[in-house]
Amino acid sequence: MTSRPQTMKPATAAKKLGIYLPATPESFQSGVVSRDELNALQSDPPEWLRSLRQNGPHPRPVVAAKLGISIGGLARAGLTDALTTAEIEEIKASAPSWLEHERATQAEVRREAARLKAEGR
């Protein structure tokens, strides 16, 4: 009995890499990714992956993290599409009121989670 290498769909691999699947090369989108290939991409990323990570477009979880808010906060602000690093920096620079509100909400959620953890819940 021979073991087959573990593979995953491109969407799963993109999620694990923290990248926006539609921005990846067609060869990545149309194939399957083995565990070894994923490890190689993580340890020695090709130029396209380095560029995507640096410039975007970024998926919503990455956008939310870069803005310091939740994914729900992005939705409440009407941001449903992937954003580039430049677009994220533009939002940060303009400091809209919704961003400050969502950051405060996120900070409160984190404080509450820390309090509950400290209480052993």
Side-chain angles (χ1 to χ4, degrees):
M1 188 163 148
T2 60
S3 63
R4 292 190 331 230
Q6 185 180 17
T7 61
M8 61 193 82
K9 294 177 183 177
T12 303
K15 188 173 185 177
K16 289 181 180 289
L17 292 169
I19 57 174
Y20 185 57
L21 181 61
T24 62
E26 179 59 37
S27 59
F28 182 85
Q29 293 179 40
S30 62
V32 294
V33 180
S34 72
R35 178 68 61 188
D36 290 338
E37 289 169 329
L38 179 68
N39 291 340
L41 288 170
Q42 290 173 324
S43 65
D44 186 23
E47 181 56 36
W48 65 265
L49 180 53
R50 286 193 300 273
S51 178
L52 266 180
R53 285 178 167 166
Q54 183 175 7
N55 304 315
H58 303 288
R60 289 181 316 139
V62 174
V63 172
K66 287 179 178 277
L67 290 173
I69 63 176
S70 68
I71 295 173
L74 285 177
R76 285 187 290 275
L79 299 175
T80 57
D81 295 332
L83 299 176
T84 64
T85 300
E87 291 168 327
I88 293 168
E89 292 304 318
E90 188 177 307
I91 291 170
K92 286 180 177 179
S94 67
S97 60
W98 64 264
L99 180 59
E100 296 306 316
H101 174 75
E102 290 299 337
R103 283 180 171 168
T105 300
Q106 187 70 5
E108 181 58 34
V109 167
R110 288 185 182 132
R111 275 193 296 278
E112 181 65 11
R115 184 186 69 79
L116 292 173
K117 184 176 181 183
E119 289 179 2
R121 293 186 190 182

